[in-house]
Amino acid sequence: MADIAFLLLTFFLMTTTVASDKGLMIQLPPPPEALPPETDIEIPERNLFKIQVNSFDKLLVEGEPWTASYRELTDDIKAFILNNGVDPKSSDNPQEAIVSFKTDRGTTHKAFIDVLDAIQASYHEIYAERAGVTVERWREIASDPNADQLTRQQYDKGRGVLPNGLPEIPMALSIAEPTKVGG
Amino acid sequence: MSRFKKKANTKQDIPTSSMPDVVFMLLFFFMVTTKMRETNINVEQHMPQATQLRTLAKKSLISYLYIGAPKKTDQFGTEPKIQANDVFIEPKGVIQWVNSEKAKLDEVDRDAITISLKVDVDSKRGLIADVETELRRANARKLLYSANQKIDR
């Protein structure tokens, strides 16, 4: 009996994998062809938080080389989003604030994920604090906002709902087409 | 003297009568928690680490694209390639692949398709951005960059 069970166990160990469907979720913009041509909307400099990564995986944040940790980058983005016009160099309000993230074609995926993680961390921490839940719980809520009524309420509380139905603090992350400077 | 000659009245062998039960329990555990491997992955797969991981509630909506340097470097070179269902495809072939993946889903779910990009850490953004542009054209705009939980040190 044990022999047969061991044989089956070995078979399943060899042929199956542990499902790992975890990752960073983003929504891509509509296709380049579908966008209206020549819509150069002027976004004031103060409402943009620019992060650039070159082909050596070095960061340029708001025009300055970045040497601090990703944790500090998260804190900087949070301060930028929640500025509400206090600092004249930072954003007007959370609805206008856009985090712009540009890489090079030679940037590695690791650097891309590290920066994307830092950006998403700042938004998730803001949402979680507003909803009064932990960041882990917030990510579960955001993964399935319509799971039940309480989840939906917490989701709306975290993001905030304006009278026109749009979120008060939208996750405005713009991932630009990579540059072709260095390979 | 007899005290020292006395032999301990213990058995040395481990009882094995419950072994099948234990093994069956392990077997059922693995049968439930794992899933069948459907594709042979032919590219290097070292997942990046991140903290802000999310999962999708409906697993059936996920389709996988594997990107990384080929494992057989003498045959396919060292440049990262895109693998979809056991074959290597070019960025141009992504639209066709998405359409065939969408055809497998129910009609109501087709626009909710999520592409899980399993990208090797050393792959370059250039190739991934090309894939993203094609995914936008194919109207599969929900993306999941596969990553593992970061362990704080």
Side-chain angles (χ1 to χ4, degrees), chain B residues 129-147:
Chain B
D130 291 344
V131 173
E132 281 168 13
T133 312
E134 294 302 312
L135 287 175
R136 283 163 66 186
R137 289 198 177 114
N139 201 21
R141 283 159 41 207
K142 281 182 86 178
L143 269 195
L144 192 73
Y145 292 106
S146 191

Side-chain angles (χ1 to χ4, degrees), chain B residues 15 26 43:
Chain B
L26 275 174
V43 290

Side-chain angles (χ1 to χ4, degrees), chain B residues 61 98-99 101-114 138-140:
Chain B
L61 298 177
V98 170
N99 287 335
E101 287 295 310
K102 276 189 181 177
K104 288 179 198 167
L105 298 173
D106 289 338
E107 216 160 323
V108 285
D109 289 335
R110 279 184 192 164
D111 285 331
I113 189 170
T114 304
N139 201 21

Side-chain angles (χ1 to χ4, degrees), chain A residues 99-166:
Chain A
V99 179
S100 160
F101 177 24
K102 194 168 195 164
T103 60
D104 191 87
R105 283 187 77 85
T107 306
T108 63
H109 185 61
K110 186 182 182 303
F112 174 79
I113 288 293
D114 281 340
V115 176
L116 185 64
D117 196 39
I119 297 168
Q120 294 206 339
S122 55
Y123 276 102
H124 287 164
E125 280 170 22
I126 291 170
Y127 294 149
E129 203 183 319
R130 284 165 55 98
V133 293
T134 61
V135 181
E136 288 74 26
R137 175 75 192 120
W138 174 263
R139 294 204 304 267
E140 282 170 30
I141 293 171
S143 302
D144 195 8
N146 293 321
D148 54 60
Q149 214 175 356
L150 178 72
T151 312
R152 184 74 221 181
Q153 275 171 13
Q154 285 177 328
Y155 185 68
D156 287 339
K157 199 178 163 200
R159 300 207 316 162
V161 185
L162 292 174
N164 59 4
L166 292 171

Side-chain angles (χ1 to χ4, degrees), chain A residues 1-15, chain B residues 19-20 23-24 26-27 30-31:
Chain A
M1 185 68 102
D3 299 14
I4 297 166
F6 264 121
L7 199 80
L8 283 171
L9 179 65
T10 324
F11 171 76
F12 273 95
L13 280 177
M14 303 288 275
T15 55
Chain B
M19 191 160 71
V23 178
F24 268 115
L26 275 174
L27 175 65
F30 279 102
M31 280 171 74

Side-chain angles (χ1 to χ4, degrees), chain A residues 14-17 21-26 28-30 33 104-107 109-110 117 124 139 142-143, chain B residues 27 30 34-35 37 51-55 59 64 121 123-126 129-130 136-137 141 143 145 147:
Chain A
M14 303 288 275
T15 55
T16 59
T17 46
D21 292 324
K22 284 187 178 159
L24 300 180
M25 210 180 276
I26 62 158
L28 291 175
E33 293 81 11
D104 191 87
R105 283 187 77 85
T107 306
H109 185 61
K110 186 182 182 303
D117 196 39
H124 287 164
R139 294 204 304 267
S143 302
Chain B
L27 175 65
F30 279 102
T34 60
K35 58 168 194 161
R37 221 182 279 172
T51 56
Q52 305 299 313
L53 303 180
R54 280 165 56 181
T55 48
K59 293 254 158 75
Y64 298 93
V121 280
S123 302
K124 304 284 190 219
R125 272 298 294 167
D130 291 344
R136 283 163 66 186
R137 289 198 177 114
R141 283 159 41 207
L143 269 195
Y145 292 106

